[in-house]
Amino acid sequence: MSSRRPQNLFAARNVVHVFQRGVLPHPTADACDVVSAKLTAGLLGGLDTQVAKAADADTVAHKRLSANAPP
């Protein structure tokens, strides 16, 4: 859920896994690692800025995913 109040916005910093080690099968864990490596602070900040400027969060996410879909 996004907030339109600036006091609730904070800069993107570290992206951490939310899965316990050993719970996911290796192919799933590997896929999460690939995604995590691409989620830089600059990228996350840019996405957050778009939403803060009234862009629809679902649209922003869909555009990002579509632009980076595997062949």
Side-chain angles (χ1 to χ4, degrees), residues 14-59:
N14 296 327
V15 178
V16 297
H17 294 282
V18 294
F19 305 108
Q20 182 177 351
R21 185 177 305 278
V23 173
L24 295 177
H26 284 289
T28 304
D30 292 344
C32 289
D33 287 340
V34 170
V35 171
S36 179
K38 293 183 182 246
L39 295 176
T40 64
L43 171 67
L44 293 172
L47 297 174
D48 191 43
T49 298
Q50 291 177 52
V51 173
K53 291 182 178 179
D56 177 65
D58 289 338
T59 301

Side-chain angles (χ1 to χ4, degrees), residues 4-17:
R4 304 280 186 232
R5 295 181 296 200
Q7 70 270 24
N8 292 334
L9 297 177
F10 53 90
R13 289 197 175 88
N14 296 327
V15 178
V16 297
H17 294 282

